[in-house]
Amino acid sequence: MVAVDNLSLQLYTVRGKLEEDFDATLARIAEIGYTKVEPFGVTAFADRLAEALPKYGLSAPTTHAGLLREDSGPIYAAAKRLGISTVVDPYVDPARWQAADDIKATAEALNKAAVEAADHGITVGYHNHHFELESKVDGVHALEILVDNLSDDVVLEVDTYWAAVGGADVPALLAKLGDRVKAIHVKDGDGTLDNKAQVAVGAGTIAVADILAAVPNALRVVELDDFSGEIFDAVEGSYKFLTGEGAPA
């Protein structure tokens, strides 16, 4: 069972709802019981988040932002304004995970970003998709090669679903990565690349209990990349499953 204060929701999950009514969407998230969210597009949404987060008793310990592709200054400014302590880069092109030298170059870029971020009191992290695990160099997952070349100041947010899709033994991977994993994306589905096949946490084929047990202290961030039904049914179902309030919708 996950403590509510160690549970968050990636707002990309409800991006369609945010477009329809930003304020009402955050109100609904809080009504379900979430106290934390993980924003995306933090520079674009900073003003609305600054107003809505405190209004609904929400905080944002982490955010996704393209630190390695965008001007970092506005990202750090928005993060500081919103009380976000960890900025996670969510994507490096799949082509950059095929050779050791390219992977090491990404590590160097993250290490450099971490030094810059520290001046703002912010920690830098990286979030994976499936291809960082699917790609292997000399039998080793590309993500593990990245980690071997990261400074101690860079953390990980492991997307446990995409790691599974990429062929990793996710509980074993998490145990190996250890305390560097400060957050995980918790999602469920059929374990394929079909985003529409994702479901509420606990209703799919992913070994969620084993994954959670492997990193007991990491922030649990619920996310669905897509869903075939009403998204808030899956958001609420995930919350109830993870907090022990009931079976997923």
Side-chain angles (χ1 to χ4, degrees):
M1 191 168 71
V2 177
V4 173
D5 65 358
N6 200 32
L7 186 62
S8 184
L9 175 70
Q10 165 55 251
L11 290 181
Y12 184 77
T13 304
V14 293
R15 58 197 179 278
K17 300 288 187 181
L18 290 170
E19 289 179 7
E20 293 170 9
D21 192 326
F22 194 94
D23 193 79
T25 298
L26 290 179
R28 178 74 180 110
I29 291 167
E31 180 185 24
I32 290 169
Y34 290 92
T35 62
K36 293 179 171 64
V37 293
E38 182 174 77
F40 66 99
V42 69
T43 53
F45 292 127
D47 288 345
R48 283 183 280 181
L49 288 166
E51 180 180 352
L53 291 180
K55 183 177 179 180
Y56 298 111
L58 297 168
S59 63
T62 59
T63 187
H64 279 196
L67 282 175
L68 304 188
R69 302 181 305 282
E70 302 169 22
D71 181 2
S72 60
I75 293 171
Y76 295 138
K80 288 196 72 172
R81 178 183 178 190
L82 298 169
I84 295 169
S85 58
T86 301
V87 175
V88 180
D89 193 301
Y91 183 85
V92 170
D93 190 280
R96 303 290 297 170
W97 296 96
Q98 307 306 312
D101 286 347
D102 287 339
I103 299 167
K104 290 175 183 177
T106 295
E108 290 174 9
L110 288 166
N111 293 342
K112 182 179 179 181
V115 172
E116 182 183 58
D119 290 338
H120 301 273
I122 290 170
T123 299
V124 166
Y126 183 72
H127 161 283
N128 63 280
H129 290 83
H130 69 284
F131 43 81
E132 296 95 336
L133 287 308
E134 189 175 69
S135 174
K136 290 187 175 183
V137 179
D138 296 329
V140 179
H141 291 300
L143 184 67
E144 293 183 72
I145 297 172
L146 176 79
V147 171
D148 287 342
N149 290 278
L150 289 177
S151 74
D152 292 340
D153 296 327
V154 180
V155 302
L156 293 178
E157 179 178 60
V158 175
D159 189 309
T160 59
Y161 186 81
W162 289 128
V165 173
D169 178 335
V170 181
L173 175 69
L174 292 170
K176 184 174 183 179
L177 296 176
D179 290 340
R180 191 185 290 272
V181 182
K182 299 301 184 186
I184 58 173
H185 272 191
V186 186
K187 60 177 74 168
D188 214 339
D190 66 356
T192 73
L193 290 169
D194 180 7
N195 289 349
K196 282 285 189 183
Q198 292 179 21
V199 295
V201 177
T205 64
I206 301 300
V208 175
D210 293 339
I211 285 168
L212 296 178
V215 278
N217 298 319
L219 179 68
R220 284 81 163 94
V221 184
V222 170
E223 183 187 39
L224 290 94
D225 295 286
D226 210 337
F227 186 58
S228 59
E230 164 53 49
I231 190 60
F232 269 123
D233 290 344
V235 169
E236 184 170 8
S238 297
Y239 178 90
K240 289 182 175 180
F241 176 81
L242 290 168
T243 59
E245 289 188 11

